[in-house]
Amino acid sequence: MSGTTLSSDGLDVRRRRTHFRCWHRGMREMDLILGRFADAHIATLDDGELDLLESLMEEQDRDLLIWLTGEAPTPDDVNTAFFQKLAAFTGATPR
């Protein structure tokens, strides 16, 4: 069960695959964070932002979670404007 509120109808193959991956991370907390973000934004992300989302999904769930919750500083190479957009969506204040 994913919890998604978005139908993948009308999304191109890359967006459908990325949306699915956002909801099936392995750590439920990250499923909820990335899945809800994808529900809200996947259809409107440009190709560059989609690249950045896919790149973020290569990070370990635990690392993403501690960066978003501020338990650990976000590395400079991850702390991009796109990461800040994700953090703002979740209400997080990473350090």
Side-chain angles (χ1 to χ4, degrees):
M1 181 172 152
S2 72
T4 185
T5 60
L6 177 72
S7 169
S8 62
D9 292 344
L11 295 177
D12 61 58
V13 173
R14 181 181 182 198
R15 289 181 197 306
R16 281 195 309 261
R17 182 181 63 239
T18 303
H19 181 255
F20 180 87
R21 287 183 58 211
C22 284
W23 274 108
H24 297 86
R25 297 285 305 165
M27 179 185 275
R28 187 64 180 152
E29 292 86 345
M30 288 311 302
D31 290 352
L32 293 169
I33 291 169
L34 288 176
R36 289 178 178 164
F37 180 82
D39 279 357
H41 296 287
I42 196 79
T44 59
L45 295 177
D46 63 34
D47 287 341
E49 290 174 317
L50 201 53
D51 290 343
L52 291 169
L53 177 56
E54 290 169 339
S55 176
L56 272 180
M57 290 191 310
E58 296 301 319
E59 300 290 344
Q60 295 295 312
D61 284 343
R62 181 69 184 136
D63 291 338
L64 285 171
L65 188 62
I66 64 174
W67 297 332
L68 285 169
T69 60
E71 292 177 52
T74 307
D76 290 339
D77 63 319
V78 174
N79 197 11
T80 63
F82 185 80
F83 182 82
Q84 292 301 317
K85 180 178 180 175
L86 172 63
F89 177 82
T90 66
T93 52
R95 47 181 190 140

